[in-house]
Amino acid sequence: MAQLAEVKLDAPLVWNADLERASLTNLFFGRYGGMLRAVHGLLTKSTNRFIPPPNSADIRHMLLEARARAVQVDTVTQFAISAVLAEGTRRGLSVREIAYGTEDFPGIEGLFERTWKSRPETVARTELQHAMLRANVDRFRAMGDVRAYRAHDGDYDAPCEARNGQEFPLDKPPEMLHPTCRLTITPIFSEM
């Protein structure tokens, strides 16, 4: 039991949840707001239509979603670290072994060095894609004459391929099915 207490004391040194959550939130805020403005500019230019610019409610909604997604990424990380701590403790490993691993146990360092080696890129790609998707949904709705979305999903795994080209109602846009999903949507206009 003393070893478990020792592991818990060392956990904040490995992962500072408050600092991580604040860093992710700041990063996501800039990307989500920027994506909303960029998509608005591109749509206005490419459709040659007046589209109301994003208002404070649109931006606030995007930023709240960015905050929620930052918390979600942080929660997944905390859960994985907790699972490694619990398994190391269950095996009776020392704090050093839990932190740096053993021959048959990756340890916390293994999460960052092996399991999550490409995690920063995965998170960046996934969150930018999600921000673009959310910004498209917001701007398509602002256009006023969009009745549905068409999904374009070039991942070619079975679930993504199955929905490629499908129509989705305006109130139920398609969601990304996995990290780094390449889903994009285009508007389907109402008949005039």
Side-chain angles (χ1 to χ4, degrees), residues 50-172:
F50 172 76
I51 305 168
N55 60 37
S56 59
D58 297 333
I59 293 168
R60 189 175 330 118
H61 176 74
M62 287 289 283
L63 296 182
L64 287 172
E65 187 163 343
R67 176 180 286 144
R69 293 195 52 93
V71 168
Q72 187 178 30
V73 168
D74 180 56
T75 301
V76 168
T77 303
Q78 287 182 44
F79 180 78
I81 290 172
S82 294
V84 169
L85 290 170
E87 178 61 18
T89 301
R90 187 190 68 73
R91 290 180 181 206
L93 300 176
S94 70
V95 171
R96 182 165 182 69
E97 290 170 324
I98 292 170
Y100 298 105
T102 64
E103 194 173 298
D104 66 334
F105 178 74
I108 293 171
E109 182 179 60
L111 282 176
F112 292 94
E113 297 295 324
R114 289 177 249 153
T115 306
W116 293 338
K117 187 174 184 177
S118 62
R119 188 164 190 250
E121 185 175 343
T122 299
V123 169
R125 284 181 189 275
T126 301
E127 293 312 317
L128 286 172
Q129 185 68 17
H130 183 79
M132 183 190 69
L133 198 57
R134 299 284 31 103
N136 278 329
V137 166
D138 181 85
R139 296 296 80 205
F140 292 162
R141 286 180 178 164
M143 291 175 86
D145 60 345
V146 174
R147 68 169 178 81
Y149 313 102
R150 183 166 317 283
H152 306 279
D153 204 338
D155 288 330
Y156 304 109
D157 56 76
C160 290
E161 192 170 3
R163 71 177 180 178
N164 191 38
Q166 283 187 350
E167 276 188 32
F168 288 81
L170 198 60
D171 62 338
K172 293 187 180 180

